[in-house]
Amino acid sequence: MYINLSILACYLFHFPLYLAIERTLYKKGTIFMSEIHISEKHFTSAPTDGNRLPKEMAVYELLDKLKIPYEGVDHDVAGTMGECAAVDEALGVTMCKNLFLRNQQKTTFFLLLIPGDKKFMTKDLSKQLGISRLSFAEPEYMEKFLNITPGSVSVLGLMNDKDWYVDLLIDKDLMNDEYIGCHPCINTSSLKIKMDDIIKKFLKYTGHRPRY
């Protein structure tokens, strides 16, 4: 089975597919992409505006505890490819695809990180893992294991997987990037973090051993 997810990379990262709608403006016969608000203010420590969900604040608390530097920006939920690109540009990083997968029996779960422009082949990955069939995991499993909802899937959600139900898979090509872009378990903010810190500090803390 061949699935080309490159055009959906940003949707998978920023917004539930079932809510992603191409918003356009029509003026004098010309179509203009609508724009989203991206804060001009970037943050490098936990925001103090008081309008954050506990699970988002827990991310900043852990990153600070582990002495992992980060750069973050707030933005509207991105619903178009142009809007996603604008968020990426604001942080100077390209977001990767974060795919939450399961086996047919719904007993084994995987978080797969691959470059945003790379094709995802379920057949190849299934063969590599020795699993007959892989599917996208249902939202209830995202919330159960990662405390994340669709559109907010992120490697940082592994901090909530205390019993290691989720196996982490990282495409080797991502290891060539100095930084990784990810959500702090909510899709109205994005973070830029060094890949080395994710591997050597964050994953060491969570106890997840990535497979490449």
Side-chain angles (χ1 to χ4, degrees), residues 118-151:
K118 190 165 187 175
K119 297 174 181 177
F120 172 52
M121 304 285 289
T122 54
K123 181 179 179 181
D124 291 348
L125 183 58
S126 295
K127 182 178 180 180
Q128 182 180 346
L129 297 175
I131 295 175
S132 60
R133 180 181 176 184
L134 282 174
S135 302
F136 289 103
E138 290 76 8
E140 55 263 34
Y141 293 111
M142 294 183 192
E143 296 191 54
K144 179 179 180 179
F145 299 133
L146 303 178
N147 194 21
I148 283 177
T149 54

PDB file of all heavy atoms in Angstrom, residues 118-151:
ATOM      1  N   LYS A 118       8.864  13.700   3.061  1.00  0.00           N
ATOM      2  CA  LYS A 118       9.186  12.305   2.738  1.00  0.00           C
ATOM      3  C   LYS A 118       7.926  11.458   2.615  1.00  0.00           C
ATOM      4  O   LYS A 118       6.976  11.606   3.392  1.00  0.00           O
ATOM      5  CB  LYS A 118      10.103  11.710   3.804  1.00  0.00           C
ATOM      6  CG  LYS A 118      10.685  10.356   3.436  1.00  0.00           C
ATOM      7  CD  LYS A 118      11.850   9.984   4.339  1.00  0.00           C
ATOM      8  CE  LYS A 118      12.528   8.716   3.862  1.00  0.00           C
ATOM      9  NZ  LYS A 118      13.737   8.401   4.660  1.00  0.00           N
ATOM     10  N   LYS A 119       7.909  10.556   1.636  1.00  0.00           N
ATOM     11  CA  LYS A 119       6.764   9.685   1.422  1.00  0.00           C
ATOM     12  C   LYS A 119       6.733   8.590   2.486  1.00  0.00           C
ATOM     13  O   LYS A 119       7.769   8.034   2.853  1.00  0.00           O
ATOM     14  CB  LYS A 119       6.824   9.062   0.031  1.00  0.00           C
ATOM     15  CG  LYS A 119       6.748  10.074  -1.104  1.00  0.00           C
ATOM     16  CD  LYS A 119       6.963   9.411  -2.448  1.00  0.00           C
ATOM     17  CE  LYS A 119       6.920  10.426  -3.574  1.00  0.00           C
ATOM     18  NZ  LYS A 119       7.187   9.819  -4.890  1.00  0.00           N
ATOM     19  N   PHE A 120       5.549   8.308   2.954  1.00  0.00           N
ATOM     20  CA  PHE A 120       5.355   7.267   3.962  1.00  0.00           C
ATOM     21  C   PHE A 120       4.819   6.015   3.296  1.00  0.00           C
ATOM     22  O   PHE A 120       3.754   6.041   2.686  1.00  0.00           O
ATOM     23  CB  PHE A 120       4.397   7.759   5.044  1.00  0.00           C
ATOM     24  CG  PHE A 120       3.982   6.688   6.020  1.00  0.00           C
ATOM     25  CD1 PHE A 120       4.925   5.919   6.673  1.00  0.00           C
ATOM     26  CD2 PHE A 120       2.639   6.470   6.285  1.00  0.00           C
ATOM     27  CE1 PHE A 120       4.554   4.942   7.567  1.00  0.00           C
ATOM     28  CE2 PHE A 120       2.249   5.503   7.188  1.00  0.00           C
ATOM     29  CZ  PHE A 120       3.203   4.732   7.831  1.00  0.00           C
ATOM     30  N   MET A 121       5.549   4.920   3.418  1.00  0.00           N
ATOM     31  CA  MET A 121       5.158   3.652   2.822  1.00  0.00           C
ATOM     32  C   MET A 121       4.775   2.688   3.942  1.00  0.00           C
ATOM     33  O   MET A 121       5.636   2.181   4.663  1.00  0.00           O
ATOM     34  CB  MET A 121       6.315   3.079   2.009  1.00  0.00           C
ATOM     35  CG  MET A 121       6.850   4.002   0.921  1.00  0.00           C
ATOM     36  SD  MET A 121       5.771   4.103  -0.518  1.00  0.00           S
ATOM     37  CE  MET A 121       5.993   2.477  -1.230  1.00  0.00           C
ATOM     38  N   THR A 122       3.481   2.435   4.092  1.00  0.00           N
ATOM     39  CA  THR A 122       3.037   1.539   5.155  1.00  0.00           C
ATOM     40  C   THR A 122       3.584   0.128   4.947  1.00  0.00           C
ATOM     41  O   THR A 122       3.933  -0.552   5.911  1.00  0.00           O
ATOM     42  CB  THR A 122       1.500   1.485   5.212  1.00  0.00           C
ATOM     43  OG1 THR A 122       0.983   1.154   3.922  1.00  0.00           O
ATOM     44  CG2 THR A 122       0.936   2.801   5.653  1.00  0.00           C
ATOM     45  N   LYS A 123       3.661  -0.286   3.697  1.00  0.00           N
ATOM     46  CA  LYS A 123       4.140  -1.634   3.395  1.00  0.00           C
ATOM     47  C   LYS A 123       5.577  -1.812   3.854  1.00  0.00           C
ATOM     48  O   LYS A 123       5.930  -2.819   4.478  1.00  0.00           O
ATOM     49  CB  LYS A 123       4.029  -1.906   1.891  1.00  0.00           C
ATOM     50  CG  LYS A 123       4.495  -3.298   1.473  1.00  0.00           C
ATOM     51  CD  LYS A 123       4.338  -3.496  -0.023  1.00  0.00           C
ATOM     52  CE  LYS A 123       4.826  -4.868  -0.449  1.00  0.00           C
ATOM     53  NZ  LYS A 123       4.702  -5.066  -1.923  1.00  0.00           N
ATOM     54  N   ASP A 124       6.426  -0.828   3.542  1.00  0.00           N
ATOM     55  CA  ASP A 124       7.837  -0.924   3.917  1.00  0.00           C
ATOM     56  C   ASP A 124       8.020  -0.914   5.424  1.00  0.00           C
ATOM     57  O   ASP A 124       8.810  -1.686   5.975  1.00  0.00           O
ATOM     58  CB  ASP A 124       8.628   0.227   3.285  1.00  0.00           C
ATOM     59  CG  ASP A 124       8.735   0.102   1.775  1.00  0.00           C
ATOM     60  OD1 ASP A 124       8.398  -0.978   1.245  1.00  0.00           O
ATOM     61  OD2 ASP A 124       9.127   1.083   1.117  1.00  0.00           O
ATOM     62  N   LEU A 125       7.302  -0.010   6.103  1.00  0.00           N
ATOM     63  CA  LEU A 125       7.443   0.076   7.550  1.00  0.00           C
ATOM     64  C   LEU A 125       6.894  -1.175   8.231  1.00  0.00           C
ATOM     65  O   LEU A 125       7.486  -1.686   9.191  1.00  0.00           O
ATOM     66  CB  LEU A 125       6.729   1.317   8.083  1.00  0.00           C
ATOM     67  CG  LEU A 125       6.863   1.560   9.589  1.00  0.00           C
ATOM     68  CD1 LEU A 125       8.327   1.675   9.995  1.00  0.00           C
ATOM     69  CD2 LEU A 125       6.105   2.818  10.008  1.00  0.00           C
ATOM     70  N   SER A 126       5.780  -1.689   7.741  1.00  0.00           N
ATOM     71  CA  SER A 126       5.204  -2.912   8.306  1.00  0.00           C
ATOM     72  C   SER A 126       6.189  -4.069   8.199  1.00  0.00           C
ATOM     73  O   SER A 126       6.375  -4.834   9.151  1.00  0.00           O
ATOM     74  CB  SER A 126       3.896  -3.272   7.593  1.00  0.00           C
ATOM     75  OG  SER A 126       2.909  -2.289   7.812  1.00  0.00           O
ATOM     76  N   LYS A 127       6.849  -4.156   7.045  1.00  0.00           N
ATOM     77  CA  LYS A 127       7.832  -5.220   6.837  1.00  0.00           C
ATOM     78  C   LYS A 127       9.024  -5.041   7.762  1.00  0.00           C
ATOM     79  O   LYS A 127       9.528  -6.004   8.351  1.00  0.00           O
ATOM     80  CB  LYS A 127       8.291  -5.212   5.377  1.00  0.00           C
ATOM     81  CG  LYS A 127       9.280  -6.318   5.040  1.00  0.00           C
ATOM     82  CD  LYS A 127       9.657  -6.284   3.571  1.00  0.00           C
ATOM     83  CE  LYS A 127      10.650  -7.390   3.236  1.00  0.00           C
ATOM     84  NZ  LYS A 127      11.033  -7.357   1.783  1.00  0.00           N
ATOM     85  N   GLN A 128       9.467  -3.812   7.921  1.00  0.00           N
ATOM     86  CA  GLN A 128      10.611  -3.525   8.785  1.00  0.00           C
ATOM     87  C   GLN A 128      10.311  -3.884  10.241  1.00  0.00           C
ATOM     88  O   GLN A 128      11.186  -4.371  10.961  1.00  0.00           O
ATOM     89  CB  GLN A 128      10.976  -2.050   8.686  1.00  0.00           C
ATOM     90  CG  GLN A 128      12.183  -1.644   9.520  1.00  0.00           C
ATOM     91  CD  GLN A 128      12.495  -0.166   9.381  1.00  0.00           C
ATOM     92  OE1 GLN A 128      11.997   0.514   8.488  1.00  0.00           O
ATOM     93  NE2 GLN A 128      13.322   0.344  10.276  1.00  0.00           N
ATOM     94  N   LEU A 129       9.069  -3.657  10.661  1.00  0.00           N
ATOM     95  CA  LEU A 129       8.683  -3.918  12.042  1.00  0.00           C
ATOM     96  C   LEU A 129       8.192  -5.342  12.260  1.00  0.00           C
ATOM     97  O   LEU A 129       7.992  -5.762  13.396  1.00  0.00           O
ATOM     98  CB  LEU A 129       7.573  -2.940  12.464  1.00  0.00           C
ATOM     99  CG  LEU A 129       7.941  -1.457  12.480  1.00  0.00           C
ATOM    100  CD1 LEU A 129       6.711  -0.615  12.787  1.00  0.00           C
ATOM    101  CD2 LEU A 129       9.039  -1.181  13.502  1.00  0.00           C
ATOM    102  N   GLY A 130       7.988  -6.077  11.165  1.00  0.00           N
ATOM    103  CA  GLY A 130       7.476  -7.430  11.274  1.00  0.00           C
ATOM    104  C   GLY A 130       6.013  -7.481  11.655  1.00  0.00           C
ATOM    105  O   GLY A 130       5.557  -8.402  12.333  1.00  0.00           O
ATOM    106  N   ILE A 131       5.272  -6.468  11.194  1.00  0.00           N
ATOM    107  CA  ILE A 131       3.837  -6.368  11.481  1.00  0.00           C
ATOM    108  C   ILE A 131       3.071  -6.439  10.164  1.00  0.00           C
ATOM    109  O   ILE A 131       3.426  -5.780   9.189  1.00  0.00           O
ATOM    110  CB  ILE A 131       3.514  -5.052  12.207  1.00  0.00           C
ATOM    111  CG1 ILE A 131       4.183  -5.051  13.595  1.00  0.00           C
ATOM    112  CG2 ILE A 131       2.012  -4.851  12.353  1.00  0.00           C
ATOM    113  CD1 ILE A 131       4.013  -3.749  14.347  1.00  0.00           C
ATOM    114  N   SER A 132       2.017  -7.228  10.143  1.00  0.00           N
ATOM    115  CA  SER A 132       1.301  -7.455   8.887  1.00  0.00           C
ATOM    116  C   SER A 132       0.565  -6.221   8.389  1.00  0.00           C
ATOM    117  O   SER A 132       0.466  -5.990   7.193  1.00  0.00           O
ATOM    118  CB  SER A 132       0.297  -8.608   9.050  1.00  0.00           C
ATOM    119  OG  SER A 132      -0.647  -8.315  10.068  1.00  0.00           O
ATOM    120  N   ARG A 133       0.063  -5.423   9.300  1.00  0.00           N
ATOM    121  CA  ARG A 133      -0.714  -4.272   8.863  1.00  0.00           C
ATOM    122  C   ARG A 133      -0.639  -3.144   9.884  1.00  0.00           C
ATOM    123  O   ARG A 133      -0.862  -3.349  11.067  1.00  0.00           O
ATOM    124  CB  ARG A 133      -2.177  -4.667   8.649  1.00  0.00           C
ATOM    125  CG  ARG A 133      -3.070  -3.532   8.185  1.00  0.00           C
ATOM    126  CD  ARG A 133      -4.500  -4.005   8.012  1.00  0.00           C
ATOM    127  NE  ARG A 133      -5.392  -2.921   7.662  1.00  0.00           N
ATOM    128  CZ  ARG A 133      -6.707  -3.056   7.536  1.00  0.00           C
ATOM    129  NH1 ARG A 133      -7.265  -4.238   7.727  1.00  0.00           N
ATOM    130  NH2 ARG A 133      -7.464  -2.024   7.210  1.00  0.00           N
ATOM    131  N   LEU A 134      -0.324  -1.952   9.411  1.00  0.00           N
ATOM    132  CA  LEU A 134      -0.303  -0.757  10.251  1.00  0.00           C
ATOM    133  C   LEU A 134      -1.435   0.174   9.848  1.00  0.00           C
ATOM    134  O   LEU A 134      -1.759   0.300   8.666  1.00  0.00           O
ATOM    135  CB  LEU A 134       1.027  -0.011  10.103  1.00  0.00           C
ATOM    136  CG  LEU A 134       2.241  -0.557  10.852  1.00  0.00           C
ATOM    137  CD1 LEU A 134       3.480   0.242  10.464  1.00  0.00           C
ATOM    138  CD2 LEU A 134       2.042  -0.491  12.363  1.00  0.00           C
ATOM    139  N   SER A 135      -2.018   0.837  10.826  1.00  0.00           N
ATOM    140  CA  SER A 135      -3.070   1.818  10.567  1.00  0.00           C
ATOM    141  C   SER A 135      -2.846   3.021  11.469  1.00  0.00           C
ATOM    142  O   SER A 135      -2.096   2.955  12.444  1.00  0.00           O
ATOM    143  CB  SER A 135      -4.454   1.220  10.853  1.00  0.00           C
ATOM    144  OG  SER A 135      -4.696   0.068  10.072  1.00  0.00           O
ATOM    145  N   PHE A 136      -3.510   4.125  11.137  1.00  0.00           N
ATOM    146  CA  PHE A 136      -3.455   5.279  12.012  1.00  0.00           C
ATOM    147  C   PHE A 136      -4.284   4.986  13.262  1.00  0.00           C
ATOM    148  O   PHE A 136      -5.407   4.485  13.184  1.00  0.00           O
ATOM    149  CB  PHE A 136      -3.997   6.518  11.304  1.00  0.00           C
ATOM    150  CG  PHE A 136      -3.091   7.030  10.228  1.00  0.00           C
ATOM    151  CD1 PHE A 136      -3.372   6.803   8.897  1.00  0.00           C
ATOM    152  CD2 PHE A 136      -1.932   7.724  10.552  1.00  0.00           C
ATOM    153  CE1 PHE A 136      -2.524   7.267   7.896  1.00  0.00           C
ATOM    154  CE2 PHE A 136      -1.076   8.197   9.569  1.00  0.00           C
ATOM    155  CZ  PHE A 136      -1.378   7.966   8.237  1.00  0.00           C
ATOM    156  N   ALA A 137      -3.729   5.303  14.409  1.00  0.00           N
ATOM    157  CA  ALA A 137      -4.417   5.035  15.666  1.00  0.00           C
ATOM    158  C   ALA A 137      -5.545   6.035  15.891  1.00  0.00           C
ATOM    159  O   ALA A 137      -5.464   7.192  15.474  1.00  0.00           O
ATOM    160  CB  ALA A 137      -3.428   5.095  16.823  1.00  0.00           C
ATOM    161  N   GLU A 138      -6.578   5.591  16.540  1.00  0.00           N
ATOM    162  CA  GLU A 138      -7.738   6.422  16.810  1.00  0.00           C
ATOM    163  C   GLU A 138      -7.416   7.502  17.852  1.00  0.00           C
ATOM    164  O   GLU A 138      -6.531   7.323  18.694  1.00  0.00           O
ATOM    165  CB  GLU A 138      -8.896   5.552  17.305  1.00  0.00           C
ATOM    166  CG  GLU A 138      -9.501   4.638  16.244  1.00  0.00           C
ATOM    167  CD  GLU A 138      -8.665   3.415  15.934  1.00  0.00           C
ATOM    168  OE1 GLU A 138      -7.663   3.187  16.649  1.00  0.00           O
ATOM    169  OE2 GLU A 138      -8.992   2.683  14.993  1.00  0.00           O
ATOM    170  N   PRO A 139      -8.155   8.617  17.813  1.00  0.00           N
ATOM    171  CA  PRO A 139      -7.912   9.727  18.751  1.00  0.00           C
ATOM    172  C   PRO A 139      -7.942   9.320  20.220  1.00  0.00           C
ATOM    173  O   PRO A 139      -7.193   9.875  21.030  1.00  0.00           O
ATOM    174  CB  PRO A 139      -9.042  10.703  18.427  1.00  0.00           C
ATOM    175  CG  PRO A 139      -9.369  10.449  16.997  1.00  0.00           C
ATOM    176  CD  PRO A 139      -9.191   8.966  16.821  1.00  0.00           C
ATOM    177  N   GLU A 140      -8.786   8.359  20.565  1.00  0.00           N
ATOM    178  CA  GLU A 140      -8.867   7.990  21.982  1.00  0.00           C
ATOM    179  C   GLU A 140      -7.555   7.412  22.509  1.00  0.00           C
ATOM    180  O   GLU A 140      -7.224   7.566  23.697  1.00  0.00           O
ATOM    181  CB  GLU A 140     -10.006   7.001  22.233  1.00  0.00           C
ATOM    182  CG  GLU A 140      -9.956   5.748  21.394  1.00  0.00           C
ATOM    183  CD  GLU A 140     -10.847   5.824  20.157  1.00  0.00           C
ATOM    184  OE1 GLU A 140     -10.974   6.935  19.599  1.00  0.00           O
ATOM    185  OE2 GLU A 140     -11.400   4.779  19.774  1.00  0.00           O
ATOM    186  N   TYR A 141      -6.788   6.773  21.618  1.00  0.00           N
ATOM    187  CA  TYR A 141      -5.503   6.225  22.047  1.00  0.00           C
ATOM    188  C   TYR A 141      -4.458   7.335  22.185  1.00  0.00           C
ATOM    189  O   TYR A 141      -3.559   7.256  23.027  1.00  0.00           O
ATOM    190  CB  TYR A 141      -5.021   5.160  21.074  1.00  0.00           C
ATOM    191  CG  TYR A 141      -5.883   3.924  21.082  1.00  0.00           C
ATOM    192  CD1 TYR A 141      -6.692   3.601  19.990  1.00  0.00           C
ATOM    193  CD2 TYR A 141      -5.908   3.085  22.194  1.00  0.00           C
ATOM    194  CE1 TYR A 141      -7.499   2.479  20.007  1.00  0.00           C
ATOM    195  CE2 TYR A 141      -6.717   1.954  22.220  1.00  0.00           C
ATOM    196  CZ  TYR A 141      -7.509   1.660  21.121  1.00  0.00           C
ATOM    197  OH  TYR A 141      -8.308   0.546  21.147  1.00  0.00           O
ATOM    198  N   MET A 142      -4.558   8.370  21.358  1.00  0.00           N
ATOM    199  CA  MET A 142      -3.662   9.520  21.504  1.00  0.00           C
ATOM    200  C   MET A 142      -3.843  10.150  22.875  1.00  0.00           C
ATOM    201  O   MET A 142      -2.877  10.483  23.567  1.00  0.00           O
ATOM    202  CB  MET A 142      -3.972  10.571  20.431  1.00  0.00           C
ATOM    203  CG  MET A 142      -3.696  10.181  19.014  1.00  0.00           C
ATOM    204  SD  MET A 142      -4.030  11.584  17.914  1.00  0.00           S
ATOM    205  CE  MET A 142      -3.971  10.761  16.324  1.00  0.00           C
ATOM    206  N   GLU A 143      -5.096  10.312  23.260  1.00  0.00           N
ATOM    207  CA  GLU A 143      -5.384  10.941  24.547  1.00  0.00           C
ATOM    208  C   GLU A 143      -5.013  10.026  25.710  1.00  0.00           C
ATOM    209  O   GLU A 143      -4.495  10.487  26.738  1.00  0.00           O
ATOM    210  CB  GLU A 143      -6.860  11.326  24.625  1.00  0.00           C
ATOM    211  CG  GLU A 143      -7.266  12.385  23.606  1.00  0.00           C
ATOM    212  CD  GLU A 143      -8.656  12.946  23.867  1.00  0.00           C
ATOM    213  OE1 GLU A 143      -8.898  13.405  24.996  1.00  0.00           O
ATOM    214  OE2 GLU A 143      -9.487  12.911  22.952  1.00  0.00           O
ATOM    215  N   LYS A 144      -5.249   8.744  25.541  1.00  0.00           N
ATOM    216  CA  LYS A 144      -4.977   7.789  26.612  1.00  0.00           C
ATOM    217  C   LYS A 144      -3.488   7.686  26.918  1.00  0.00           C
ATOM    218  O   LYS A 144      -3.081   7.700  28.094  1.00  0.00           O
ATOM    219  CB  LYS A 144      -5.520   6.410  26.227  1.00  0.00           C
ATOM    220  CG  LYS A 144      -5.268   5.335  27.277  1.00  0.00           C
ATOM    221  CD  LYS A 144      -5.856   3.996  26.842  1.00  0.00           C
ATOM    222  CE  LYS A 144      -5.597   2.916  27.898  1.00  0.00           C
ATOM    223  NZ  LYS A 144      -6.181   1.602  27.490  1.00  0.00           N
ATOM    224  N   PHE A 145      -2.668   7.592  25.878  1.00  0.00           N
ATOM    225  CA  PHE A 145      -1.242   7.348  26.076  1.00  0.00           C
ATOM    226  C   PHE A 145      -0.385   8.621  26.070  1.00  0.00           C
ATOM    227  O   PHE A 145       0.621   8.696  26.772  1.00  0.00           O
ATOM    228  CB  PHE A 145      -0.720   6.391  25.005  1.00  0.00           C
ATOM    229  CG  PHE A 145      -1.381   5.039  25.025  1.00  0.00           C
ATOM    230  CD1 PHE A 145      -1.839   4.464  23.854  1.00  0.00           C
ATOM    231  CD2 PHE A 145      -1.542   4.345  26.219  1.00  0.00           C
ATOM    232  CE1 PHE A 145      -2.452   3.210  23.863  1.00  0.00           C
ATOM    233  CE2 PHE A 145      -2.151   3.099  26.240  1.00  0.00           C
ATOM    234  CZ  PHE A 145      -2.605   2.527  25.061  1.00  0.00           C
ATOM    235  N   LEU A 146      -0.772   9.622  25.268  1.00  0.00           N
ATOM    236  CA  LEU A 146       0.062  10.806  25.098  1.00  0.00           C
ATOM    237  C   LEU A 146      -0.564  12.086  25.647  1.00  0.00           C
ATOM    238  O   LEU A 146       0.092  13.124  25.678  1.00  0.00           O
ATOM    239  CB  LEU A 146       0.383  11.009  23.611  1.00  0.00           C
ATOM    240  CG  LEU A 146       1.074   9.843  22.894  1.00  0.00           C
ATOM    241  CD1 LEU A 146       1.284  10.183  21.412  1.00  0.00           C
ATOM    242  CD2 LEU A 146       2.401   9.499  23.552  1.00  0.00           C
ATOM    243  N   ASN A 147      -1.838  12.003  26.041  1.00  0.00           N
ATOM    244  CA  ASN A 147      -2.586  13.196  26.475  1.00  0.00           C
ATOM    245  C   ASN A 147      -2.563  14.270  25.385  1.00  0.00           C
ATOM    246  O   ASN A 147      -2.346  15.449  25.645  1.00  0.00           O
ATOM    247  CB  ASN A 147      -2.031  13.761  27.782  1.00  0.00           C
ATOM    248  CG  ASN A 147      -2.962  14.770  28.428  1.00  0.00           C
ATOM    249  OD1 ASN A 147      -4.159  14.792  28.148  1.00  0.00           O
ATOM    250  ND2 ASN A 147      -2.425  15.637  29.280  1.00  0.00           N
ATOM    251  N   ILE A 148      -2.792  13.823  24.165  1.00  0.00           N
ATOM    252  CA  ILE A 148      -2.752  14.692  22.987  1.00  0.00           C
ATOM    253  C   ILE A 148      -3.979  14.421  22.133  1.00  0.00           C
ATOM    254  O   ILE A 148      -4.456  13.292  22.051  1.00  0.00           O
ATOM    255  CB  ILE A 148      -1.462  14.428  22.170  1.00  0.00           C
ATOM    256  CG1 ILE A 148      -0.260  15.092  22.849  1.00  0.00           C
ATOM    257  CG2 ILE A 148      -1.583  14.924  20.738  1.00  0.00           C
ATOM    258  CD1 ILE A 148       1.051  14.827  22.149  1.00  0.00           C
ATOM    259  N   THR A 149      -4.492  15.458  21.484  1.00  0.00           N
ATOM    260  CA  THR A 149      -5.606  15.314  20.565  1.00  0.00           C
ATOM    261  C   THR A 149      -5.102  15.417  19.126  1.00  0.00           C
ATOM    262  O   THR A 149      -4.003  15.926  18.893  1.00  0.00           O
ATOM    263  CB  THR A 149      -6.669  16.398  20.821  1.00  0.00           C
ATOM    264  OG1 THR A 149      -6.038  17.685  20.771  1.00  0.00           O
ATOM    265  CG2 THR A 149      -7.308  16.210  22.189  1.00  0.00           C
ATOM    266  N   PRO A 150      -5.863  14.942  18.153  1.00  0.00           N
ATOM    267  CA  PRO A 150      -5.437  15.019  16.760  1.00  0.00           C
ATOM    268  C   PRO A 150      -5.066  16.442  16.363  1.00  0.00           C
ATOM    269  O   PRO A 150      -5.737  17.406  16.721  1.00  0.00           O
ATOM    270  CB  PRO A 150      -6.674  14.535  15.989  1.00  0.00           C
ATOM    271  CG  PRO A 150      -7.353  13.610  16.933  1.00  0.00           C
ATOM    272  CD  PRO A 150      -7.164  14.240  18.289  1.00  0.00           C
ATOM    273  N   GLY A 151      -3.965  16.567  15.628  1.00  0.00           N
ATOM    274  CA  GLY A 151      -3.487  17.874  15.222  1.00  0.00           C
ATOM    275  C   GLY A 151      -2.405  18.406  16.133  1.00  0.00           C
ATOM    276  O   GLY A 151      -1.739  19.377  15.803  1.00  0.00           O
TER     277      GLY A 151
END
